[in-house]
Amino acid sequence: MLDELARHFGVLSEPARLRILHVLGGRERCVTDILGQAGLSQANASRHLGLMYRAGMLARRRDGAQVFYRVSDSLCLDVCRVIGAQVDGTAVDTGAGDHGVRLTNYRVFQRPADEAGADPTPPVNEKEEASG
């Protein structure tokens, strides 16, 4: 079980894949929508979507020329919820009662940089951002 969990987190360790999860959220989306909203090229998105599909994280269906993806894994759905909360600046109910995690103090997700040459690696937290 731990080996399988480690493989899952290994797949999720790529920021582009987290952007894909954020775009998908709990919805089904066509590849064109994923490309535009995640800021990925066709080739890059296809590579990441294929890997996530083979890992069992995503399900896909074809409708004519279009391919649609949705999150099919419960751990990834939880990750989608956490990413969405990060972006929205809301708290996530972790089920830990008064010890729940409020994610507004940390930034683990950031949209691709608009400026050429900008560092695409997001800061780990706001203190690092302020000092960098």
Side-chain angles (χ1 to χ4, degrees), residues 21-88:
L21 286 181
H22 176 62
V23 169
L24 289 172
R27 302 169 304 274
E28 180 181 75
R29 298 236 185 230
C30 70
V31 172
T32 306
D33 289 344
I34 296 168
L35 294 174
Q37 293 182 27
L40 300 171
S41 69
Q42 174 73 43
N44 200 10
S46 293
R47 182 173 59 89
H48 291 301
L49 289 166
L51 189 142
M52 294 170 77
Y53 172 75
R54 288 188 301 279
M57 297 176 171
L58 302 180
R60 67 181 175 199
R61 71 174 178 88
R62 184 174 296 275
D63 185 5
Q66 290 190 321
V67 178
F68 293 83
Y69 284 89
R70 66 177 168 76
V71 177
S72 61
D73 176 85
S74 61
L75 175 62
C76 289
L77 286 171
D78 287 343
V79 170
C80 290
R81 191 170 54 94
V82 170
I83 291 170
Q86 290 263 339
V87 171
D88 298 339

Side-chain angles (χ1 to χ4, degrees), residues 91-112:
V92 173
D93 179 9
T94 62
D98 291 338
H99 302 289
V101 178
R102 183 156 183 94
L103 297 171
T104 55
N105 294 332
Y106 298 95
R107 217 183 266 181
V108 296
F109 176 81
Q110 193 172 47
R111 294 223 180 260

